Amino acid sequence: MRFKVEHTDGDARAGIIETDHGRIPTPAFMPCATMGAVRAIRWNELEDLGYPMVLVNALHLHLRPGEDIVRNFGGLHDFSSWKKSILTDSGGYQFFSLKGLYDIDDDGVSFQSPYDGSRHRFTPESVVELQLSLAPDIMMPLDHCAPGDASREMIIEAGDRTLEWLKRAAKHLQKTGEKPRALFGIIQGGVEADLRRKYAELSGELDLPGYAIGGISVGEEQERGREIVDLTAPLLPSEKPRYLMGVGLPEQILDGIAAGVDLFDCVLPTRMARNGTLFTSTGRLNLKNSQYRTDPAPLDENCTCPTCRRYSRGYLAHLYKSGEPGVLGLLSVHNLAFYLRLVNEAREAVMDRRFDSWRKSFMSGWK
Amino acid sequence: MRFKVEHTDGDARAGIIETDHGRIPTPAFMPCATMGAVRAIRWNELEDLGYPMVLVNALHLHLRPGEDIVRNFGGLHDFSSWKKSILTDSGGYQFFSLKGLYDIDDDGVSFQSPYDGSRHRFTPESVVELQLSLAPDIMMPLDHCAPGDASREMIIEAGDRTLEWLKRAAKHLQKTGEKPRALFGIIQGGVEADLRRKYAELSGELDLPGYAIGGISVGEEQERGREIVDLTAPLLPSEKPRYLMGVGLPEQILDGIAAGVDLFDCVLPTRMARNGTLFTSTGRLNLKNSQYRTDPAPLDENCTCPTCRRYSRGYLAHLYKSGEPGVLGLLSVHNLAFYLRLVNEAREAVMDRRFDSWRKSFMSGWK
């Protein structure tokens, strides 16, 4: 994996990540193919939109179908047929969301499968091995994410552990004889500015190919999260890609770009689509509102996605109300087209050194 | 609507139906877009497969979103964006499957919406009006379908009523000043050979543009149903398309073609796909069987559908087990490709006067 910052505008950056599976212009957004597919849509639809990279969750693939099966298929690219770039998340965040169903200690995490109750153990080393079986372009280490209302003591415990596990993961990856894959670092530290600063510095010394800000949008106040991203992003090595994990809303992505973040992922655009909420150039649209039943307009007059080119709000509202599963895909394609356009327009604005004015203009149309 | 039989091979026929929305080579199979979309798939996928016609259910569209909305969009073609041919079924069969929730008398049917409990009344005339609002290429009259275990007395009541309603529907359609749409006749008569013969003759005298065999696969023994199709199809006017409603399995479609049927519809290929059962050139495949989890082969080595060109059984089995909604579409596309190939190969065999040998060869590979 290679990365180059090509333009800057304040803290905002426009660059290129290059993997064995293609070039990713940054800032970039990764749709979540959590279980190995982006929910409700087809890979060819994602290719047609032009997405260069997706996120897959290693924990989910470990539980089902199991990394041995994926490895026997030749890794995630061959298994899924998605031949562009893939980043695998480790599953650290999923433990946070499975409250009480896991035991975490300094050496790793023990947990039960929610599918069959089977017992599993993750360590920093085993999660590297798991991801080597999946063979993504970028892998994330096992981390410990404290909830948004955690005490400073808990944040320190989770943050120290995350740093320690990162060192172990990096060491283990170096020892393996397999083709090296990019391992990013993860910075925890909750909403404590001094801890974020400390972990950013100590992790940065490991000279990893990229760094991620974890533990944002985990229950803290949105404004506090924004401040932490503002503070942390510029502390991460400037020549490495900076990844803000699991965040989020269009306005949060713009805040992240302004702070110098290069890479984003979130289930939000696809999940909200499945809930009938669409992102448009003039704001959010709730397709469940009865006014849309008779509306011949596309979801967004300014959108050129396949859904907007072909379908009316009225027809989509009818399918949604009728419970037709196919419509969830049509709506997801639209929201993903919106997110791709958002980061692509942001990138052009950075290249033209007009990011702030573009962002203001975008947000004024939007709210 | 125009129809021409171009080749015959025994009772089997190869022809062309031509509507304002294209040419339909027959024998033809119509996927069911019951609520105005083929469940779990996209219209462009159906176009890519090459399907020339679908079935939409007028009763469902009446209940949701209502025919006024569809008419204001310019009819079903503009509402749905499907610009090839559409046949609308009246909903007579749906009353049969809503046992006890409707009251039928000589003048029509009263029923409650399963969605909101609202009361509705269908008459032969109102169902013509409803379908004129939907503006399909071919419409079906309101009919009365007796269950497979009905007494001869009940079969006569339903069959006489169906004939009487057909006359009323045809008369009402003639009176309307709107652009004429093809109204097909429906023949009832259960498993009573003499009644089928009588209704075929009396309906045939109405000189409608096409005729359908209703009331098959409604609970009667499959072999009895086959005998009735064998008997009835050749009694229908030979210069008109013959449509076997709601049937069904690949072997039943081949039986129908052998008897001289031109047109079929059934929810079976899409419903079975959603249940994980796939049709292949060597028989049925149950994707839920654990053997497929590690299988890199496509669903069917001999299939060129987009699903088989791209995806392995192992990956599809993983998505199916994971409950990913998108896989239901991938599987439905495959089964619909199988059905299209089935009728297209049957058509070529009829044209080459080798239908019987092709059918034997197909079934021997299949069972």
Side-chain angles (χ1 to χ4, degrees), chain A residues 273-276 286-293 313-325 327-328 331, chain B residues 35 39 60 63-66 69 79 113 115-116:
Chain A
R274 297 197 305 277
N275 289 332
N286 184 344
L287 196 59
K288 287 176 275 195
N289 287 350
S290 62
Q291 70 191 91
Y292 298 121
R293 294 175 60 227
R313 293 169 173 175
Y315 179 62
L316 295 168
H318 164 62
L319 295 185
Y320 194 85
K321 188 153 193 195
S322 299
E324 284 293 342
V327 74
L328 305 180
L331 301 179
Chain B
M35 311 245 190
R39 192 154 290 177
H60 282 288
L63 293 175
R64 217 158 48 184
I69 285 181
F79 180 59
S113 164
Y115 304 130
D116 61 9

Side-chain angles (χ1 to χ4, degrees), chain A residues 172-224:
Chain A
H172 187 76
L173 181 60
Q174 272 191 327
K175 278 201 307 197
T176 65
E178 293 202 44
K179 173 184 168 188
R181 302 198 179 265
L183 172 75
F184 278 21
I186 300 181
I187 313 301
Q188 292 289 352
V191 291
E192 306 285 324
D194 63 317
L195 296 177
R196 288 282 179 178
R197 191 172 292 120
K198 172 182 148 192
Y199 295 129
E201 279 168 22
L202 293 174
S203 303
E205 290 170 8
L206 299 175
D207 194 27
L208 294 166
Y211 286 93
I213 302 171
I216 302 292
S217 281
V218 294
E220 82 285 359
E221 280 175 39
Q222 190 172 324
E223 182 54 21
R224 289 285 284 146

Side-chain angles (χ1 to χ4, degrees), chain B residues 71-200:
Chain B
R71 187 182 46 224
N72 285 340
F73 271 87
L76 274 175
H77 290 92
D78 286 341
F79 180 59
S80 70
S81 83
W82 169 256
K83 296 304 173 83
K84 301 197 174 186
S85 300
I86 296 175
L87 177 148
T88 45
D89 192 8
S90 65
Y93 178 78
Q94 275 63 41
F95 293 122
F96 156 77
S97 62
L98 286 177
K99 272 177 191 164
L101 294 173
Y102 67 98
D103 291 311
I104 194 162
D105 57 57
D106 282 342
D107 187 53
V109 191
S110 296
F111 60 101
Q112 275 195 306
S113 164
Y115 304 130
D116 61 9
S118 57
R119 297 204 59 82
H120 299 258
R121 173 84 179 161
F122 270 15
T123 65
E125 292 80 9
S126 78
V127 167
V128 166
E129 292 293 333
L130 159 58
Q131 289 177 92
L132 286 173
S133 292
L134 301 178
D137 299 285
I138 298 172
M139 60 171 75
M140 303 304 296
L142 186 63
D143 66 330
H144 183 178
C145 175
D149 60 357
S151 65
R152 184 172 164 90
E153 197 178 1
M154 288 164 68
I155 293 172
I156 290 175
E157 184 190 345
D160 284 355
R161 188 172 277 156
T162 294
L163 178 61
E164 190 56 35
W165 285 0
L166 177 58
K167 291 178 187 167
R168 284 170 53 184
K171 192 170 166 192
H172 187 76
L173 181 60
Q174 272 191 326
K175 277 200 306 195
T176 66
E178 293 203 45
K179 174 184 166 189
R181 303 199 178 263
L183 173 74
F184 278 21
I186 301 180
I187 313 301
Q188 291 290 351
V191 291
E192 306 284 327
D194 63 317
L195 296 178
R196 288 284 180 177
R197 190 171 292 117
K198 172 182 147 194
Y199 295 130

Side-chain angles (χ1 to χ4, degrees), chain B residues 29-310:
Chain B
F29 177 80
M30 295 180 285
C32 291
T34 307
M35 311 245 190
V38 179
R39 192 154 290 177
I41 79 164
R42 320 269 194 263
W43 284 123
N44 57 294
E45 291 173 326
L46 215 59
E47 289 161 358
D48 289 348
L49 288 177
Y51 269 102
M53 177 150 66
V54 299
L55 175 146
V56 173
N57 190 288
L59 167 62
H60 282 288
L61 274 284
H62 166 72
L63 293 175
R64 217 158 48 184
E67 59 268 34
D68 290 349
I69 285 181
V70 177
R71 187 182 46 224
N72 285 340
F73 271 87
L76 274 175
H77 290 92
D78 286 341
F79 180 59
S80 70
S81 83
W82 169 256
K83 296 304 173 83
K84 301 197 174 186
S85 300
I86 296 175
L87 177 148
T88 45
D89 192 8
S90 65
Y93 178 78
Q94 275 63 41
F95 293 122
F96 156 77
S97 62
L98 286 177
K99 272 177 191 164
L101 294 173
Y102 67 98
D103 291 311
I104 194 162
D105 57 57
D106 282 342
D107 187 53
V109 191
S110 296
F111 60 101
Q112 275 195 306
S113 164
Y115 304 130
D116 61 9
S118 57
R119 297 204 59 82
H120 299 258
R121 173 84 179 161
F122 270 15
T123 65
E125 292 80 9
S126 78
V127 167
V128 166
E129 292 293 333
L130 159 58
Q131 289 177 92
L132 286 173
S133 292
L134 301 178
D137 299 285
I138 298 172
M139 60 171 75
M140 303 304 296
L142 186 63
D143 66 330
H144 183 178
C145 175
D149 60 357
S151 65
R152 184 172 164 90
E153 197 178 1
M154 288 164 68
I155 293 172
I156 290 175
E157 184 190 345
D160 284 355
R161 188 172 277 156
T162 294
L163 178 61
E164 190 56 35
W165 285 0
L166 177 58
K167 291 178 187 167
R168 284 170 53 184
K171 192 170 166 192
H172 187 76
L173 181 60
Q174 272 191 326
K175 277 200 306 195
T176 66
E178 293 203 45
K179 174 184 166 189
R181 303 199 178 263
L183 173 74
F184 278 21
I186 301 180
I187 313 301
Q188 291 290 351
V191 291
E192 306 284 327
D194 63 317
L195 296 178
R196 288 284 180 177
R197 190 171 292 117
K198 172 182 147 194
Y199 295 130
E201 279 169 21
L202 292 174
S203 302
E205 290 169 8
L206 299 176
D207 194 27
L208 294 166
Y211 286 93
I213 302 171
I216 302 292
S217 282
V218 294
E220 82 285 0
E221 282 175 38
Q222 191 172 323
E223 181 55 23
R224 288 284 284 146
R226 197 183 66 74
E227 287 168 11
I228 289 295
V229 174
D230 263 358
L231 165 92
T232 311
L235 299 175
L236 300 176
S238 66
E239 72 285 7
K240 309 287 178 70
R242 297 161 175 168
Y243 166 28
L244 178 55
M245 303 182 80
V247 178
L249 288 164
E251 54 266 38
Q252 291 176 308
I253 288 179
L254 296 185
D255 289 343
I257 293 172
V261 172
D262 307 298
L263 197 53
F264 301 86
D265 81 282
C266 198
V267 294
L268 210 132
T270 44
R271 179 177 290 167
M272 289 182 82
R274 296 197 306 277
N275 289 331
T277 300
L278 289 315
F279 294 100
T280 81
S281 51
T282 53
R284 296 191 199 182
L285 180 159
N286 184 344
L287 196 61
K288 286 175 278 194
N289 288 349
S290 62
Q291 69 190 92
Y292 298 121
R293 294 175 61 228
T294 56
D295 190 340
L299 293 173
D300 183 354
E301 295 280 5
N302 297 314
C303 178
T304 59
C305 84
T307 303
C308 286
R309 281 202 306 269
R310 177 154 194 167

Side-chain angles (χ1 to χ4, degrees), chain B residues 298-342:
Chain B
L299 293 173
D300 183 354
E301 295 280 5
N302 297 314
C303 178
T304 59
C305 84
T307 303
C308 286
R309 281 202 306 269
R310 177 154 194 167
Y311 299 107
S312 65
R313 292 168 175 176
Y315 180 62
L316 294 169
H318 164 63
L319 295 185
Y320 193 85
K321 191 156 191 192
S322 299
E324 283 294 341
V327 74
L328 306 180
L330 297 177
L331 301 179
S332 297
V333 162
H334 169 79
N335 273 358
L336 288 176
F338 178 89
Y339 270 65
L340 187 61
R341 202 166 57 247
L342 183 77

